[in-house]
Amino acid sequence: MAFTYSEKVMDHFANPRNVGEIENADGIGEVGNSKCGDIMKMYLKVEDNTITDVKFKTFGCGAAIATSSMATELIKGKTIDEALKLTNKAVMEALDGLPPVKVHCSVLAEEAIKSAVSDYYTRQGIDPEPIVGKV
Ligand code: FES
């Protein structure tokens, strides 16, 4: 089956933004995709409740790379609350869509952000579950 990817997906896949890790990150999230077993790691730097830097690393496919790249762009400079509201649907829309069989890949970024925020709150001595939900 041939897939058609949007130009934006191809751009973020070929030139992913915010790849790497952050030394002394304030929150680190790691999640696995239940559908394909691929892994995503997300690093956050937080100041005054604002995400000042974010980086990711993934063993995921091209769609996972593109969605994470876009997701990190969308949450950089935003408050934690705003970042938690980012859905995989919004990320896909920002990329002009994904083929239906690749939708599950976009969930990795959303879950990795939640996992990293959860870790951030835990490090602050705050129970993350009422805020972030179960990760
Ligand atoms: Fe695993 Fe896309 S196939 S993240």
Side-chain angles (χ1 to χ4, degrees):
M1 193 198 304
F3 303 142
T4 319
Y5 289 109
S6 72
E7 270 177 38
K8 279 191 192 165
V9 172
M10 292 311 291
D11 175 35
H12 278 263
F13 167 59
N15 307 292
R17 283 55 149 188
N18 307 311
V19 171
E21 40 187 287
I22 298 175
E23 256 184 68
N24 303 319
D26 297 310
I28 301 174
E30 185 169 344
V31 291
N33 196 312
S34 56
K35 264 206 147 158
C36 60
D38 289 337
I39 294 168
M40 169 83 59
K41 216 163 171 183
M42 187 79 66
Y43 302 81
L44 298 179
K45 202 81 199 152
V46 180
E47 270 167 53
D48 292 334
N49 210 38
T50 298
I51 295 169
T52 54
D53 200 10
V54 49
K55 293 217 183 308
F56 77 94
K57 275 180 160 179
T58 186
F59 285 107
C61 66
I65 293 169
T67 47
S68 308
S69 168
M70 179 56 92
T72 54
E73 287 283 272
L74 290 171
I75 65 166
K76 209 188 232 180
K78 300 275 166 59
T79 64
I80 290 182
D81 285 355
E82 286 168 328
L84 286 175
K85 282 190 196 122
L86 183 72
T87 61
N88 70 312
K89 200 166 165 268
V91 175
M92 284 193 297
E93 275 168 17
L95 285 168
D96 294 336
L98 274 180
V101 291
K102 304 304 277 180
V103 170
H104 74 272
C105 312
S106 67
V107 177
L108 265 183
E110 182 191 322
E111 288 184 347
I113 291 168
K114 291 200 167 96
S115 168
V117 169
S118 200
D119 180 50
Y120 167 73
Y121 280 129
T122 303
R123 291 179 194 216
Q124 304 295 311
I126 299 166
D127 178 10
E129 216 178 297
I131 309 163
V132 185
K134 252 206 172 349
V135 187

